[in-house]
Amino acid sequence: MKKQLLVFLELLTVFTFALLATTCGGGGGGGDDDYSPKVATAPVSLPKELLQKEDKDNTYTVGRGNIKKAGTIFSVFAEGGYFTLTETEIEGNVHFDMGIPVDASGKPIQFVYHDEVDTEKFFRYVQFTSESGEISALAADNFLSTIEFHKIEGQPIYIRVNLESVPIEGEDDEGNSYKLNENVFYLDGSFYRKSERFGDESDGSDSVTWPQAYNAAKEAPRFNGMQGYLMTITSDAENKFVYDQ
């Protein structure tokens, strides 16, 4: 059996932001001691504090006015907590790609895809793609404002939102065609591409050395101006994602 290499593509985001909040008691939005912006790049403005919903315990939103530029891939990630969706669709020709549900303790469980999204699940991560090539800033901002975030006691919650502006399909720097979610894959701010199959079966061995894999990744065609490199799996969620490809 020939081996297959997965190339990791370093991402240059159009914009990304993250929110950091420590766990706190009920009431109010948490205040400066409980929440502070961690990363922000224009054109994103962050709220000064998470907004706690008055009618629900341990339920927060980020409000409106956070996203000011369109993109093609929209994703939301939460660590140290989880979130629930009150809406399952983004306005426009946008479809749900995948999500990572978690149990009440925040432990990831089986991935869900396409029509498996619903408002009953707890999520660590969700991802949407625009079939028409654009998710408007207003549509993304409206959807983000409806997401309800929940903290896990004793843990800070870290929230990351990406809206990438990458063509859904096209050619890489060497003229090879690609299409997102077919031969180039996206997860939480990074792109992944399978290498060409390689390996010498003449001696009955299907082994590939680390230097072979490393060099093959470095020599792979650039994607959207980004040079790939041999990926390192850093989480159970990423391992499951790679295995599914």
Side-chain angles (χ1 to χ4, degrees):
M1 179 185 298
K2 292 185 178 180
K3 294 291 186 181
Q4 191 169 53
L5 171 70
L6 197 69
V7 176
F8 177 78
L9 299 162
E10 189 67 60
L11 177 67
L12 177 62
T13 58
V14 171
F15 69 80
T16 178
F17 72 85
L19 316 175
L20 183 65
T22 57
T23 54
C24 63
D32 291 342
D33 292 338
D34 305 302
Y35 162 82
S36 61
K38 184 172 178 62
V39 176
T41 57
V44 176
S45 59
L46 301 180
K48 292 184 178 180
E49 57 184 44
L50 290 173
L51 307 175
Q52 183 168 6
K53 300 198 73 170
E54 295 181 357
D55 57 340
K56 293 183 179 180
D57 293 334
N58 189 28
T59 302
Y60 304 84
T61 70
V62 296
R64 295 181 182 272
N66 296 295
I67 299 177
K68 298 179 174 62
K69 191 170 183 178
T72 54
I73 307 174
F74 176 73
S75 65
V76 180
F77 173 89
E79 185 173 1
Y82 53 90
F83 57 89
T84 49
L85 303 178
T86 61
E87 304 286 342
T88 59
E89 296 181 353
I90 298 177
E91 182 181 356
N93 192 14
V94 182
H95 68 264
F96 174 77
D97 283 335
M98 59 170 290
I100 305 176
V102 297
D103 59 24
S105 68
K107 181 179 179 180
I109 51 181
Q110 189 71 27
F111 278 42
V112 294
Y113 298 91
H114 308 304
D115 59 354
E116 297 175 308
V117 62
D118 61 52
T119 58
E120 302 298 319
K121 293 182 175 69
F122 300 151
F123 282 100
R124 168 72 56 81
Y125 177 79
V126 293
Q127 174 180 312
F128 294 80
T129 301
S130 169
E131 295 180 351
S132 61
E134 180 175 296
I135 302 172
S136 73
L138 179 60
D141 192 68
N142 286 342
F143 183 82
L144 178 62
S145 71
T146 68
I147 295 177
E148 297 181 345
F149 296 94
H150 312 280
K151 301 175 183 179
I152 296 175
E153 186 176 358
Q155 296 186 41
I157 182 169
Y158 176 77
I159 301 167
R160 181 166 56 251
V161 176
N162 291 295
L163 186 56
E164 317 298 347
S165 184
V166 175
I168 299 298
E169 56 185 311
E171 294 183 347
D172 63 23
D173 290 5
E174 292 188 2
N176 302 307
S177 62
Y178 76 86
K179 186 172 183 179
L180 285 174
N181 301 322
E182 288 189 7
N183 55 359
V184 172
F185 302 91
Y186 178 84
L187 177 71
D188 189 29
S190 298
F191 291 89
Y192 301 76
R193 180 169 58 191
K194 297 176 183 177
S195 76
E196 295 295 327
R197 293 181 180 272
F198 67 96
D200 184 4
E201 295 181 338
S202 60
D203 61 356
S205 171
D206 63 355
S207 63
V208 175
T209 66
W210 188 90
Q212 283 178 313
Y214 176 79
N215 289 328
K218 286 202 308 180
E219 295 166 2
R222 297 171 68 89
F223 168 73
N224 202 43
M226 298 176 288
Q227 179 60 57
Y229 56 89
L230 186 63
M231 68 166 296
T232 299
I233 295 174
T234 58
S235 68
D236 289 342
E238 188 176 38
N239 184 62
K240 179 64 170 62
F241 169 75
V242 171
Y243 180 82
D244 283 354
Q245 308 314 316

